[in-house]
Amino acid sequence: CLEVDGKTLVFSVIDVCVVSKSITDKIKHEIETKYGIPTQQVNLLSMHSHSCPNGTTEGGFSGVSKNDLYLKKVTNAILDTIGNCLLRLEEVSASYQIVSVRGFYSNRNDKSAPFDDEITMVKFTSRRNDLCGMMLNIPAHSTVLGPTNMLCSTDLIGAVRKKVKDHFGTNVVAMMGAAGDISNRQYRQGDDFTELDRVSSGVFNQLIKDDHFSDLDVKSLTCVQFDHVIDYDNTIFFDKYRQQLNETIQIIEDPRTGVDQRKLSMASKSQLESKLKRDHVHKPVFSKYFDLGGLRIVTFGGELSSKFGLMMKRKDPTKLTLVMTCCDDHQGYFIEQENYGKYYETIATDV
């Protein structure tokens, strides 16, 4: 929780794969009822590890139905955590450091393509010079662990979060940045917990290599929400979907297809079959913008490509910009026009 200019701003990262707007709306209403914090100032983000639990979407996700008992447990944990935070609020100063991380993840479709390699760490320090908490903004998918893993895990972002927490001795809120096309795929040496430790340790070691935190001026809070509706006749794309489906099946049936490619092709097959069942697409999407003086935060309910994230980060170099995705909803991938039809991300989205 951050209280700025008399207004409370909440960022709560839920260790689940995805969460839908219908669910976050209900949780936000409970937060507003109990603590009086306006829903627009509450941000509920999913960790989006593919090894995290599901069951937090209204219509189900990846074959897992909504689990009311689990949702109640999650809601109560969020309410209790916010209550504890509000009781322990104290005046702090903020500082930040941006670290370029290389050698462990990249644009997952093209290793040579540009991508956002910047992890941002934000520290909050009390007047007593005690570290009160940190924010960690990581533009990378938590997909180190492979599809045969049957254990729940927060994967890459969660593993880095724990290492940062242990190192600095404070609570860390870690969220995914604009990472719709970023993962460790091009640097993968395995897909088990040994590989997860290798990758997370490598990232963490780069984060703590230097200590060059700069002061961050946080002095006001303005919040704006942008809404848009995507609406189109999906039947006009059916022929294209059928062609892509046939090509995908051929890849799956080819014995020469590698493990990663087969996994992507199986997911693409499922997405294309689902698209052929929908005649019309009507999809409300939204984004929120928070201006806190020297800090800008953009939240988005889907998975943005790193190009969009970099565009927002570079818009005003005089301010620090954090882009937080998978926030308040799961709206799918948002990829730049020039890459449409080339990669899985454009198959797996209604946008």
Side-chain angles (χ1 to χ4, degrees):
C1 296
L2 294 176
E3 186 177 285
V4 184
D5 197 24
K7 302 172 185 176
T8 302
L9 193 56
V10 173
F11 295 95
S12 179
V13 180
I14 311 170
D15 287 349
V16 295
C17 184
V18 297
V19 61
S20 61
K21 186 176 184 297
S22 58
I23 301 298
T24 59
D25 282 348
K26 293 175 184 176
I27 299 175
K28 287 183 177 190
H29 176 71
E30 291 198 37
I31 293 170
E32 184 174 40
T33 299
K34 188 167 184 176
Y35 299 115
I37 304 172
T39 57
Q40 192 178 43
Q41 292 164 209
V42 177
N43 302 276
L44 303 178
L45 304 100
S46 62
M47 173 65 70
H48 197 58
S49 159
H50 289 203
S51 295
C52 269
N54 289 324
T56 48
T57 56
E58 195 67 56
F61 178 78
S62 192
V64 179
S65 301
K66 183 182 72 167
N67 187 310
D68 290 328
L69 184 62
Y70 182 65
L71 279 172
K72 186 63 177 176
K73 183 182 177 89
V74 169
T75 301
N76 288 340
I78 293 171
L79 290 169
D80 290 346
T81 301
I82 292 173
N84 289 333
C85 287
L86 294 175
L87 289 173
R88 299 165 67 180
L89 286 176
E90 61 179 307
E91 188 171 342
V92 297
S93 59
S95 59
Y96 74 96
Q97 178 169 300
I98 299 174
V99 180
S100 176
V101 174
R102 289 278 172 163
F104 293 96
Y105 54 80
S106 65
N107 182 301
R108 62 186 181 183
N109 298 308
D110 182 354
K111 191 175 183 179
S112 64
F115 73 101
D116 184 359
D117 65 353
E118 296 177 347
I119 293 180
T120 304
M121 297 185 290
V122 180
K123 287 183 178 179
F124 298 97
T125 307
S126 71
R127 286 186 171 183
R128 304 183 307 277
N129 205 34
D130 294 331
L131 190 56
C132 298
M134 293 180 67
M135 296 177 75
L136 195 61
N137 192 214
I138 304 179
H141 259 86
S142 281
T143 51
V144 175
L145 297 174
T148 60
N149 170 57
M150 294 292 108
L151 299 176
C152 288
S153 171
T154 50
D155 208 297
L156 179 59
I157 294 178
V160 174
R161 175 182 64 185
K162 185 179 187 309
K163 292 179 188 299
V164 171
K165 177 182 177 180
D166 291 345
H167 178 78
F168 288 100
T170 190
N171 288 324
V172 179
V173 178
M175 63 285 291
M176 188 171 77
D181 53 2
I182 302 178
S183 79
N184 71 311
R185 183 187 302 163
Q186 303 290 346
Y187 289 91
R188 188 168 290 154
Q189 296 181 15
D191 62 0
D192 57 10
F193 283 92
T194 299
E195 175 70 356
L196 176 58
D197 185 62
R198 184 189 74 84
V199 175
S200 61
S201 295
V203 172
F204 169 72
N205 288 334
Q206 292 189 38
L207 289 180
I208 63 168
K209 183 179 179 181
D210 297 307
D211 187 358
H212 300 305
F213 281 80
S214 302
D215 291 340
L216 181 59
D217 185 21
V218 178
K219 59 184 178 182
S220 60
L221 174 59
T222 302
C223 175
V224 180
Q225 179 165 317
F226 302 93
D227 295 281
H228 180 68
V229 175
I230 297 169
D231 190 279
Y232 61 90
D233 176 8
N234 196 37
T235 61
I236 63 176
F237 301 108
F238 275 14
D239 287 342
K240 181 179 180 181
Y241 296 156
R242 292 188 184 99
Q243 178 185 346
Q244 290 176 316
L245 181 59
N246 289 332
E247 293 170 352
T248 300
I249 292 173
Q250 290 177 16
I251 294 172
I252 294 171
E253 293 177 347
D254 189 337
R256 297 168 296 178
T257 300
V259 174
D260 281 343
Q261 183 59 56
R262 188 176 301 279
K263 180 178 72 172
L264 281 175
S265 297
M266 292 294 292
S268 297
K269 178 176 178 291
S270 176
Q271 293 288 345
L272 290 165
E273 289 171 342
S274 177
K275 285 187 172 187
L276 286 166
K277 296 176 182 178
R278 295 195 304 275
D279 291 342
H280 192 87
V281 171
H282 182 85
K283 192 179 187 75
V285 296
F286 61 93
S287 176
K288 288 186 291 185
Y289 169 77
F290 300 95
D291 190 328
L292 296 95
L295 171 65
R296 301 186 306 175
I297 298 175
V298 179
T299 69
F300 189 73
E303 299 182 58
L304 289 171
S305 75
S306 60
K307 180 176 181 178
F308 291 139
L310 286 170
M311 287 171 59
M312 287 183 275
K313 284 185 173 184
R314 303 291 184 260
K315 185 69 174 179
D316 185 352
T318 67
K319 295 186 177 184
L320 174 67
T321 300
L322 302 180
V323 181
M324 304 178 183
T325 57
C326 291
C327 181
D328 296 328
D329 199 7
H330 185 251
Q331 300 170 356
Y333 290 103
F334 285 69
I335 307 297
E336 58 271 22
Q337 183 177 359
E338 58 266 30
N339 280 330
Y340 258 76
K342 295 181 181 179
Y343 307 116
Y344 165 76
E345 289 83 7
T346 57
I347 292 176
T349 184
D350 289 328
V351 180

